[in-house]
Amino acid sequence: MKWLILAAGVLLFFNGMFTRTYSFENETPARHCYQMDYIGLYGCFGSPIVPTLVSWGVTLIGAGLIVGSIVRARRKGT
């Protein structure tokens, strides 16, 4: 289970780091989108903050899982 948590953290971290955000501001209404190429996940929203929050949120959750795995391994000594 600990290896799955670490693998999920690495996957989320790198997907968050390489998430592309872009906008179509010439359209009515304006669309603000994100795209995660490695897992094929994308979405568009009306607010420019949502794609940024998705990108940063996934990155920080992944980093938290990685750090949590490292802390757990150091405490157990394995």
Side-chain angles (χ1 to χ4, degrees):
M1 185 67 172
K2 61 184 174 184
W3 292 106
L4 290 175
I5 293 172
L6 180 60
V10 170
L11 178 72
L12 288 172
F13 181 78
F14 282 109
N15 274 307
M17 290 296 293
F18 294 112
T19 299
R20 294 185 291 156
T21 59
Y22 49 92
S23 297
F24 299 104
E25 294 186 10
N26 295 333
E27 295 181 5
T28 305
R31 292 185 317 162
H32 305 278
C33 306
Y34 74 93
Q35 185 169 358
M36 295 182 187
D37 292 326
Y38 291 115
I39 59 174
L41 185 65
Y42 63 93
C44 293
F45 302 94
S47 171
I49 194 73
V50 177
T52 305
L53 287 175
V54 169
S55 174
W56 278 97
V58 170
T59 304
L60 292 175
I61 290 170
L65 289 174
I66 292 169
V67 169
S69 294
I70 291 170
V71 168
R72 181 179 174 200
R74 292 190 134 208
R75 284 186 182 167
K76 287 194 171 187
T78 56

